């Protein structure tokens, strides 16, 4: 901060320093010279401008998010363990794994996949009829330049079908930095976790599907979509296993 010129004498003294209208000169500076404090000020301004340009260009003012040991150097979807969900509902359909769509970028690594479960009643049923298909969705995002935690908190009620009420979101303790169980429409449940720069999602949904033989049978009404809230402990357990596997 530039201070006001100090007074040379005591209060009430008759003699005062010479008042110089040219700010580039001081009472003791020869004509045409610049005061030392102005040279220092100029250096500070130049340094500040350089630092601002460096922050803008290189992002020096925004530290990289903490990786917390997570890495996405390979696709985890083919080998992901869903032991609790499969034990509670049904084993996976090994032929159902979708293309993971692994994204590698300097700003973000991401993988997303879907795994279908095959209930025993579906496998044994040979006649036309209704089936319940269960699907597990897995998404992992590793943010490498911007910390995702503030945005994660702001979007905790946002789903692909809109914004759910506040009472549809429940906090889960002792899981990452923040974790929420979100009950979406149609009874679907989704567990979201942010841990440092990594955001993970594990969702469980059930969709009724009719399979017929093309003879024009009256299909009637399908089964009600089941309430999946009873499977939330299984979803939490499998999320813990997923998080641990991504640190190995």
């Amino acid at each position: 901060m530039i201070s006001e010129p100090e007074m040379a004498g005591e209060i009430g003294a008759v003699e005062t320093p010479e008042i110089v209208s040219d700010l580039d000169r001081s009472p003791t500076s020869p004509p045409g010279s610049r005061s030392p404090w102005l040279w220092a000020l100029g250096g500070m301004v130049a340094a500040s401008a350089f630092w601002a340009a460096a922050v803008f260009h290189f992002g020096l003012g925004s530290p990289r998010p903490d990786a917390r040991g997570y890495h996405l150097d390979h696709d985890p979807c083919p080998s992901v363990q869903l032991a609790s969900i499969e034990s509670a509902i049904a084993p996976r359909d090994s032929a159902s794994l979708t293309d993971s769509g692994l994204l590698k970028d300097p700003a973000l690594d991401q993988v997303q996949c879907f795994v279908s479960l095959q209930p025993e009643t579906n496998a044994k049923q040979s006649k036309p009829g209704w089936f319940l298909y269960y699907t597990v969705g897995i998404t992992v995002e590793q943010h490498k330049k911007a910390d995702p935690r503030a945005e994660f908190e702001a979007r905790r009620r946002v789903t692909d079908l809109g914004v759910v009420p506040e009472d549809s979101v429940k906090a889960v303790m002792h899981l990452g930095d923040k974790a929420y169980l979100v009950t979406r429409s149609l009874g679907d449940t989704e567990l979201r976790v942010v841990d440092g720069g990594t955001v993970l999602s594990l969702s469980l949904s059930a969709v009724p599907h009719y399979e017929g033989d093309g003879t024009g049978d009256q299909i009637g009404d399908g089964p009600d979509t089941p309430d999946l809230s009873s499977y939330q402990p299984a979803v939490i357990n499998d999320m813990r296993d997923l998080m641990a596997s991504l640190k190995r």
Side-chain angles (χ1 to χ4, degrees), residues 115-131:
V115 178
S116 293
L117 307 180
Q118 181 63 56
E120 186 178 0
T121 54
N122 290 6
K124 291 183 177 180
Q125 185 172 338
S126 58
K127 298 186 297 183
W130 285 97
F131 298 84

Side-chain angles (χ1 to χ4, degrees), residues 127-191:
K127 298 186 297 183
W130 285 97
F131 298 84
L132 268 178
Y133 283 91
Y134 293 85
T135 301
V136 178
I138 302 164
T139 303
V140 181
E141 298 176 350
Q142 188 171 23
H143 297 255
K144 296 182 285 186
K145 289 192 175 181
D147 193 323
R149 289 178 291 184
E151 182 177 341
F152 176 87
E153 180 68 20
R155 294 175 57 85
R156 68 187 183 278
R157 296 194 297 120
V158 178
T159 72
D160 53 357
L161 298 176
V163 179
V164 299
E166 190 67 49
D167 59 5
S168 297
V169 180
K170 297 179 181 178
V172 180
M173 306 303 294
H174 311 300
L175 191 60
D177 292 331
K178 282 286 184 75
Y180 294 107
L181 271 168
V182 182
T183 301
R184 304 184 298 187
S185 61
L186 303 178
D188 296 359
T189 189
E190 180 183 10
L191 175 59

Side-chain angles (χ1 to χ4, degrees), residues 5 16-17 23 44 52 59 71 82 99 105 115 122-123 159 183 194 200 205 241:
T16 58
L23 295 180
M44 293 171 59
H71 49 83
L82 300 172
D99 184 11
D105 186 86
V115 178
N122 290 6
T159 72
T183 301
V194 61
L200 309 98
S205 60
D241 290 343

